Each structure stands twice: as structure tokens, then as C-alpha cells.
Amino acid sequence: MPIEFVCKIKFAEEDEKQKSKPDGDRESLIEESCTPPAKDLAVFAKSCSLHGINHIFVSGRLGIRQTLWALAFLTSLALFLYQAAKCAISYLEHPHVTALNEEASPEMVFPAVTICNINRFRFSALTDADIYHLANLTGLPPKNKDGHKATDLMYPAPDMQDIFNRTGHQLEEMLKSCNFSGHNCSVEDFSVVYTRYGKCYTFNGNKTTSRKSKQGGMGNGLEIMLDIQQDEYLPIWRETNETSLEAGIRVQIHSQDEPPYIHQLGFGVSPGFQTFVSCQEQRLTYLPQPWGNCRSSSKEKFPGYDTYSISACRLLCETNEVLRVCGCRMVHMPGTAAICPPSKINCVDRALAQLQKNSGDTCPCETPCNLTRYGKELSMVKIPSKGSARYLSRKYDKSEDYIRDNFLVLDIFFEALNYETIEQKKAYDVAGLLGDIGGQMGLFIGASILTVLEIVDYIYEMIKHRLQRLLRPKKDDKKNKNKHPLSTVATVGLEELKAKQEPNDTPRSHPEGAYANTILPNHHQPPVPQPLHQPHHQHQHQHHHHAGRHGVFEDFAC
């Protein structure tokens, strides 16, 4: 029984434009039909390096095996996200650890040593004008019984710098012997510095010409003998804020980078004893924000001092507060403002007391990120012994009782030529965070940075494909507005094909892949049925001149 296929093909008028173009300019159906589609999820799952998803996204229905694999993958992913979140939270807390280490050195810079006599004014050096002006500080009565006369009010305004310098204890009179590492030293090796105790003296205070110790132990540091001159101490008639009941000296051991703050950080040395001070240098390194709370050296220069230190910060805060309240500064404070006269001592005391109460709010002094301090161990023995009292009495032309009441020996040395380093370190940095997250990622889901890039690339391709699908129909609709479809109906008779086909003839066909599987070559013949066994040259002619563009077929139905 003969079988006949009737096919109806609609052509657009756009085909006619293709006829007029040269062969090289015609658009090819083959090129557009072979455009690769977007990646399929199952194909991506097979090629992705992420473990487990190739067992989940497979072609066909979802079975028990795929469900179990999906549960296992989701559980591993949840564990990974939990561990990664813990690592991130730990990093954001910015924890730090403190490392303690001890290092040896062939030589070490000897620290600065500041000494002050507890008595600020020598009684024999005070004039009537000094006693008059310093009444609020010393509490001394006038020297004559009748009191100060009216003419005493004509005293010129006091020069506090001159009074402290002239009436303070002079090192030339106090220093009886000086020795540093076996070499004699003298007054020239000390520099004058002013503190709350008045005129003081600093040994080895210049960091450009600082002395160094090449050996540790007793006798390899600074050893001085001092006469505190108790006979020059001011008598106490009434107590004031500056009245002192002690006898001796105050000592502070500090680095050359910080000023002395001896009234709070110094220690006392008593006459009649030899005091041994064993030191160990400590170099501290703190972390800035957000790991710590230190002041970085890269910040702006601290006014009044070469380098920032806590002592310098406190002195500057005190100076600013006294200047604000009283309009002047004390003799030991930095700056060029006028020095407060004794009449304003009560104002100064009130300002400093108020600052001490609110220092945490008004004057926050941060710890420097690099700090050098000295640990101290003190021991002492009594001097002079009975055998040496007579010798010292003859040597310095003083009585034995005077020697016992006024002489002291101070011996400062390094315990050993090593120093401690106390350093704050980041307990968890970026490298540790990435390492932990990478380890958790590899353990739970078998992924890496490249896996993440694969997923990003797949998402990009999918978005690109969807956008192309959304934009193409709009362009095709604009083109189809001007199209007038033509129809061609072809009738194919298989019986006629078999009857007329020569035994040795082979059917003529296009090479495989020349056209897409779902389309036929264009035919611009009149809409009448055509048998399949038309002459071969006619078929070639039609194919050569009517190969259409992909998308020009509006409908195909059999």
C-alpha cells in the first residue's frame, strides 16, 4: 500500500533578501544551530571537584541513593559552616598571647639614675626674702621676733627657678665618692633636673652618650657615697602639704627616653645603710588596636618630649590642668609659661587633686607599644661599721655620729648581662583563619578555592544563558513584524521512489551534520506537491540557492 507524507513548510520573506546577497555574506544555519547550550546541572556535578554532588545531581528520577547522598552532603556542609563561623568569631575577638623570653647580650646600656634629696631647701641658703616668699611652702616663721616689717613688702617678685637652684642641695657638697664599672666619676657626669622634690640630679641621662655595662654583678655598675646633710633640713614649725618627715634620698631608675616621675615611681634610700639594687632590664612590646591598647610610635609627636612615655604624658596632663586653673606652671613642668609663685601653691594643690580624681577621664595615658623598664631587688647593710666609723670621720672631717646619721652608699648594677622580652603576639591572624577554614572545607566537603571558582563560573554561565533567552524573543518579535509567510506543500510517495530507483543508484543525501536534525533546507518553489525522485541536478540547484538562515522557519508540520 503506498504511503504518502504531506509536509507543509512556511517560509519568511526574509529568505528573499538572502538570495540577493553573495554566497560569502549569507548567514549559515549550521553555525547558529550548533551553538552550545548552557551547562546542565548534572554535567556540572560530574565535572565539579566538590565532593558528593556527582552522586546527587544525576539524570533520571531521584532515588533513595541520591537522597542519602544529599543528606550526607547537607550535614557536612552544615558542620563546615558551623566551624567556619566559630573561626571567624574567634578572629574578630582579636585575641593575643604574651610570650616571655630571656636573651643574653655582650653589653647593655646602663639606665638613667635620678637622685633627689627629700629636703627641698637648705635652711642656711634661705634669705629673709626667700623665707617671706616661701612661707606657704615651708611654714617657717620670720627670722626676727618682730615679724616682717612693712618695708619687707617691697621685696621683688620671687624667681622660683633661681630659688630652687640656689637653695637646693648641691651635688658638689653631697657627693663624697663616685665609681662606675671600676672608673671614677664626678659631678660632671650628672645633669640637673627639676622634680617635685626640687633640684635633683640624673646620672647617664643623655641617650646619645650613654654608658654601657660589659659585665654583670656587684662592682660593675654605679656606686656612690652621699651626704644627705640633715643639718640643712628645714625645721618644722607647722605642717604644710610640702612638709616631709623623712630623711634620706629618693631614687628612680628609668630609661633615657622618659623623664623622671620620682615622687610616684621612686624608692627611698636611708642614711646609715649601704643599699644594693640589682636590676634586670625588661623590654615590653604591646599590640595596638584592636588586639591591645597601646600608643603606636607612628602617631603624632608628643609635645614637649622627644619620645612618648607614660611619665611624659602624666607631666603634660598636670601642666595643662595647672595652666588652665591657675594660669602658671610648677618648676618641674615642661613648657615656657610663667612659674607659679608660692602664693598660688594652694591653687596648684587643688588642681592636681582634682586631676588625680578624674585622671582616667580627662587624661588617659596610653601605654607605649615599646617600653623599657627595670626590675629591682633591694638589699642593704648598715654603715659605718665600728671599725670604719673612725676612718671615715678622719677622712671627711666629720664626727662618727654625723657619719652614721648622714652618710649612705648606693650600689646599682645589672644582675647579669641579659634582658627579658615580654611581647604580646596575635593569637589568631589572617593566615591562621584561612588555614583553619581551608582545613574544615577540605575535611567536610572536599572543596578548595578553585572549587569556589568553579561554582561561581557555573552560576555566571547560567545567568548569562537566562538573560540571553529573555532578550532574544524581543529581537525576534521585531523581525517577525515585517515577515509574510509563504507555504509550500511537498508530497512524497515512497512507492514511486522504490519503483523508479535504479538498482545501482544510491540515494542522494547531504553529509551528516550539514543541517540540524529538525530542519530541512529552504525551497522556494511554488506551493505544489513535488515528488522526492525529482532530478538530481534540480535538487542541487534548490539547495544551493535557498539555504535559509536559522530562525527563518516559522512553522514545520507533517
Side-chain angles (χ1 to χ4, degrees):
M1 178 179 179
I3 301 174
E4 188 175 75
F5 292 89
V6 178
C7 298
K8 182 179 180 181
I9 309 173
K10 293 183 180 180
F11 299 96
E13 287 184 353
E14 191 69 21
D15 254 0
E16 299 298 330
K17 297 180 181 179
Q18 292 286 341
K19 292 181 179 181
S20 61
K21 292 184 179 181
D23 292 344
D25 293 339
R26 294 181 184 176
E27 299 179 7
S28 174
L29 280 170
I30 301 174
E31 293 178 358
E32 294 211 9
S33 64
C34 294
T35 303
K39 291 183 179 179
D40 184 70
L41 184 57
V43 176
F44 170 74
K46 290 181 180 180
S47 61
C48 183
S49 59
L50 187 65
H51 291 186
I53 63 171
N54 59 330
H55 298 288
I56 302 173
F57 301 102
V58 295
S59 58
R61 296 181 60 185
L62 183 64
I64 297 178
R65 182 172 179 272
Q66 288 81 9
T67 304
L68 294 177
W69 271 105
L71 291 175
F73 177 78
L74 291 176
T75 303
S76 299
L77 181 62
L79 290 174
F80 159 67
L81 293 177
Y82 172 72
Q83 295 294 337
K86 285 183 61 178
C87 294
I89 292 173
S90 178
Y91 173 77
L92 293 177
E93 291 176 353
H94 303 291
H96 68 267
V97 295
T98 302
L100 176 63
N101 192 20
E102 187 172 293
E103 298 183 15
S105 177
E107 61 180 18
M108 295 177 61
V109 176
F110 196 78
V113 179
T114 299
I115 57 174
C116 299
N117 200 312
I118 293 178
N119 181 62
R120 294 194 293 176
F121 304 104
R122 290 179 298 143
F123 184 68
S124 63
L126 292 176
T127 63
D128 290 346
D130 296 335
I131 294 175
Y132 173 76
H133 290 307
L134 298 178
N136 291 335
L137 289 174
T138 61
L140 291 178
K143 284 191 173 182
N144 56 352
K145 295 180 181 181
D146 297 333
H148 292 288
K149 300 177 182 179
T151 55
D152 294 342
L153 298 177
M154 301 302 294
Y155 286 137
D159 183 355
M160 297 304 297
Q161 184 85 26
D162 175 70
I163 292 176
F164 275 101
N165 184 53
R166 176 171 46 83
T167 64
H169 289 268
Q170 306 301 314
L171 188 62
E172 295 86 351
E173 300 174 1
M174 289 196 303
L175 186 63
K176 298 303 179 181
S177 67
C178 178
N179 183 281
F180 179 79
S181 295
H183 302 282
N184 292 329
C185 51
S186 63
V187 177
E188 285 74 17
D189 297 310
F190 292 80
S191 59
V192 177
V193 61
Y194 292 95
T195 69
R196 290 285 292 272
Y197 289 102
K199 189 176 183 180
C200 302
Y201 305 92
T202 299
F203 175 80
N204 199 35
N206 191 344
K207 60 183 177 181
T208 58
T209 59
S210 56
R211 297 173 181 259
K212 297 181 179 180
S213 291
K214 298 183 178 180
Q215 190 174 353
M218 189 183 303
N220 296 290
L222 176 65
E223 183 177 351
I224 56 176
M225 178 181 287
L226 296 174
D227 178 6
I228 66 170
Q229 299 176 325
Q230 282 201 62
D231 293 345
E232 293 286 358
Y233 277 36
L234 294 179
I236 299 176
W237 290 87
R238 62 183 177 90
E239 289 190 14
T240 66
N241 291 334
E242 305 298 329
T243 301
S244 176
L245 305 178
E246 303 89 6
I249 63 172
R250 296 279 290 183
V251 182
Q252 182 182 355
I253 301 173
H254 55 95
S255 69
Q256 286 81 9
D257 292 327
E258 60 179 312
Y261 203 63
I262 197 167
H263 63 282
Q264 288 192 4
L265 302 180
F267 60 94
V269 177
S270 175
F273 292 91
Q274 180 172 359
T275 304
F276 302 95
V277 184
S278 175
C279 299
Q280 184 173 30
E281 182 176 327
Q282 296 174 339
R283 301 180 184 179
L284 292 83
T285 303
Y286 297 98
L287 289 174
Q289 292 283 1
W291 292 272
N293 194 27
C294 72
R295 179 188 173 95
S296 176
S297 57
S298 60
K299 289 187 178 181
E300 66 276 3
K301 188 176 179 181
F302 199 67
Y305 298 95
D306 295 334
T307 56
Y308 174 82
S309 63
I310 297 178
S311 300
C313 177
R314 291 178 179 175
L315 284 171
L316 187 63
C317 288
E318 292 176 358
T319 303
N320 294 334
E321 184 67 15
V322 172
L323 279 173
R324 184 184 67 84
V325 176
C326 306
C328 57
R329 65 180 179 91
M330 297 182 71
V331 67
H332 66 280
M333 293 178 176
T336 57
I339 299 176
C340 296
S343 59
K344 289 190 176 183
I345 190 62
N346 293 329
C347 175
V348 173
D349 290 339
R350 288 193 303 268
L352 294 179
Q354 186 65 28
L355 177 65
Q356 190 173 5
K357 292 180 181 179
N358 304 325
S359 60
D361 300 327
T362 60
C363 184
C365 289
E366 301 173 301
T367 302
C369 292
N370 295 286
L371 174 66
T372 301
R373 70 182 183 190
Y374 298 91
K376 299 173 286 292
E377 293 183 2
L378 277 69
S379 60
M380 58 189 66
V381 295
K382 185 173 176 58
I383 63 165
S385 64
K386 290 183 179 181
S388 63
R390 185 176 299 178
Y391 166 76
L392 293 176
S393 176
R394 293 196 304 266
K395 181 177 181 180
Y396 296 109
D397 194 20
K398 302 289 184 180
S399 66
E400 294 183 13
D401 291 336
Y402 184 91
I403 298 293
R404 294 186 182 96
D405 293 338
N406 292 277
F407 276 47
L408 61 86
V409 177
L410 178 64
D411 194 353
I412 303 174
F413 55 90
F414 281 122
E415 181 181 357
L417 288 185
N418 54 36
Y419 57 90
E420 290 182 352
T421 59
I422 303 174
E423 183 178 3
Q424 285 184 350
K425 295 183 178 180
K426 300 175 184 178
Y428 203 51
D429 55 4
V430 176
L433 175 65
L434 295 178
D436 287 347
I437 292 180
Q440 302 291 346
M441 188 185 298
L443 175 64
F444 288 109
I445 58 177
S448 65
I449 296 296
L450 297 181
T451 306
V452 177
L453 294 179
E454 288 179 357
I455 297 174
V456 172
D457 178 66
Y458 173 72
I459 295 174
Y460 167 76
E461 292 293 337
M462 289 296 297
I463 295 174
K464 178 182 175 183
H465 178 65
R466 293 296 176 88
L467 291 176
Q468 288 177 348
R469 290 184 60 184
L470 291 174
L471 296 176
R472 274 182 180 177
K474 296 181 180 179
K475 295 180 179 179
D476 293 341
D477 291 343
K478 293 180 181 178
K479 293 179 180 178
N480 293 336
K481 288 181 180 179
N482 299 324
K483 292 180 182 179
H484 301 285
L486 300 174
S487 299
T488 299
V489 179
T491 303
V492 182
L494 296 181
E495 292 295 334
E496 294 178 4
L497 179 63
K498 290 182 179 180
K500 294 183 179 182
Q501 188 173 355
E502 295 286 335
N504 295 329
D505 290 343
T506 57
R508 183 81 170 182
S509 62
H510 291 285
E512 182 180 357
Y515 300 100
N517 295 333
T518 58
I519 63 174
L520 292 175
N522 261 340
H523 295 272
H524 291 276
Q525 298 295 334
V528 294
Q530 295 292 336
L532 186 63
H533 57 273
Q534 58 185 332
H536 175 64
H537 68 277
Q538 187 176 1
H539 177 75
Q540 275 188 325
H541 177 75
Q542 292 169 353
H543 171 64
H544 179 71
H545 290 286
H546 306 293
R549 201 172 49 171
H550 179 61
V552 300
F553 299 104
E554 294 183 336
D555 192 16
F556 180 85
C558 290

